[in-house]
Amino acid sequence: MTIYVDDDYNLYVSDAYNHRIMKYYPNNRTGTIVAGGLSPGSSALQLNDPKGVAMDRTGAIIVGDSQNYRIQKFSNDSLVGMTVASNSSSSLFGITRDIRVDCYNNIIATDSVFSRIIKFTPDGSNMTVLVNNNGVGLAADQFNAPFGIFIDNDQTLYVADKENHRVQMWPSGTTSGITVAGISGSAGSSLMRLNGPSAVVVDNNGFIYIADSRNHRIVKWTMNYTAGGVCVVGCSGSSGIGPTYLSGPRDLKFDPSGNLYVTDQGNNRIQKFMVQTSTSSCLSSNKKKLSISIHFLFVFLGG
């Protein structure tokens, strides 16, 4: 499950195994299907294992339709999708793991098959490899199963490099990444290490929040990367179903007030953690200024 929260606090969930996108209005645990959901398929009404959901600056829903090797756009509350981009000899891409829309309406996608990040113009007419065209590996210019991504207003890209157990930062225009969380190639449970990070977001202070999936926790890294992380959610050291536990967290996003939403994938639920925040520009990028502490929690059940 990947998620998106819009500026009106509506929650969108890519319910991959049910081949649909669900929308939950604020404080409502009953969802509405806004894309897919008939059965897995490749028609304009169908999705197949969607992974990655976002919203562009016009309010259209953008979906990484992973097993159809395409990106779909759903405009004006229509259930009929328009293919923005698809796998072809001229625009080769594999299974998407995450989707972002930057402040210029470009679509940024994780391509886990080719271990790279790709960018499409808003109409999908042009695809470029944003970072890494060097195959799978541990080098600073390589990934091994990249999952979640975050791009800030300066076009700096952050990548959860899952099987390298690190988060890489790629300033705009650079040809190699900088490890800003975790130790390259070394999985672990200490606060210096990550184990299968699957998602990343960054606040206006430069603090990096990571879904550390195999450690069943959310950790925060400061700009002093060598100091290690701080556990903020799921800090017991094990998975569980209680309100302070997680089981294989897959994604995390902020709403406009800075509340943190986490896809607790192993428990088939979305959890919401309330934190103090101030406003930010380019709200749809989900980049917020956060305080350190979480002071309230409730469970948001999704379909």
Side-chain angles (χ1 to χ4, degrees):
M1 293 185 293
T2 53
I3 55 175
Y4 178 81
V5 186
D6 69 18
D7 294 344
D8 295 319
Y9 299 86
N10 300 307
L11 172 67
Y12 297 81
V13 180
S14 61
D15 187 8
Y17 298 143
N18 287 317
H19 313 288
R20 64 189 183 184
I21 305 298
M22 301 294 294
K23 178 179 180 180
Y24 294 86
Y25 292 96
N27 302 315
N28 192 334
R29 298 187 181 189
T30 301
T32 302
I33 297 173
V34 293
L38 300 176
S39 60
S42 59
S43 76
L45 288 167
Q46 294 174 302
L47 299 169
N48 192 347
D49 196 22
K51 293 174 180 174
V53 59
M55 183 174 287
D56 71 13
R57 311 300 289 175
T58 71
I61 300 169
I62 309 297
V63 179
D65 190 10
S66 68
Q67 292 299 323
N68 284 323
Y69 302 97
R70 66 184 183 182
I71 295 173
Q72 295 290 91
K73 178 178 181 179
F74 297 86
S75 301
N76 303 317
D77 298 321
S78 174
L79 290 172
V80 180
M82 179 183 73
T83 300
V84 176
S86 62
N87 184 40
S88 68
S89 58
S90 60
S91 299
L92 190 66
F93 70 91
I95 294 174
T96 56
R97 295 289 183 182
D98 198 9
I99 292 282
R100 290 278 183 168
V101 178
D102 69 15
C103 293
Y104 304 100
N105 235 23
N106 298 305
I107 300 167
I108 316 297
T110 306
D111 181 354
S112 63
V113 171
F114 296 101
S115 284
R116 62 188 185 180
I117 312 301
I118 52 180
K119 180 171 78 171
F120 297 91
T121 52
D123 62 359
S125 61
N126 184 44
M127 186 196 91
T128 57
V129 177
L130 191 60
V131 293
N132 186 28
N133 214 10
N134 300 303
V136 177
L138 191 60
D141 61 353
Q142 293 178 305
F143 299 124
N144 186 359
F147 264 57
I149 52 177
F150 178 88
I151 189 163
D152 69 15
N153 297 343
D154 298 321
Q155 300 293 291
T156 297
L157 180 71
Y158 297 79
V159 181
D161 189 9
K162 187 171 186 180
E163 297 308 327
N164 282 329
H165 311 292
R166 66 187 182 185
V167 172
Q168 294 289 91
M169 179 181 74
W170 295 67
S172 179
T174 58
T175 57
S176 63
I178 302 166
T179 300
V180 295
I183 297 175
S184 295
S186 179
S189 60
S190 76
L191 288 173
M192 290 296 299
R193 286 176 165 82
L194 302 169
N195 191 349
S198 60
V200 57
V201 292
V202 183
D203 72 16
N204 282 347
N205 293 312
F207 298 153
I208 304 165
Y209 290 76
I210 304 159
D212 189 10
S213 63
R214 295 181 190 134
N215 284 322
H216 313 291
R217 66 189 182 187
I218 306 301
V219 291
K220 181 183 74 173
W221 243 264
T222 68
M223 290 177 286
N224 182 11
Y225 309 131
T226 60
V230 175
C231 185
V232 294
V233 178
C235 304
S236 68
S238 63
S239 64
I241 62 173
T244 61
Y245 286 82
L246 299 170
S247 179
R250 170 63 180 87
D251 199 10
L252 69 169
K253 296 290 191 302
F254 293 122
D255 70 14
S257 296
N259 302 305
L260 180 66
Y261 292 71
V262 178
T263 58
D264 189 12
Q265 187 156 293
N267 288 321
N268 295 300
R269 65 187 182 184
I270 311 296
Q271 293 215 57
K272 177 183 175 183
F273 301 87
M274 297 181 69
V275 295
Q276 294 177 344
T277 183
S278 63
T279 59
S280 173
S281 61
C282 195
L283 290 174
S284 293
S285 70
N286 282 298
K287 183 177 181 181
K288 306 297 168 194
K289 184 176 181 180
L290 301 180
S291 67
I292 293 174
S293 61
I294 293 171
H295 61 83
F296 182 75
L297 163 72
F298 80 86
V299 178
F300 197 124
L301 299 175

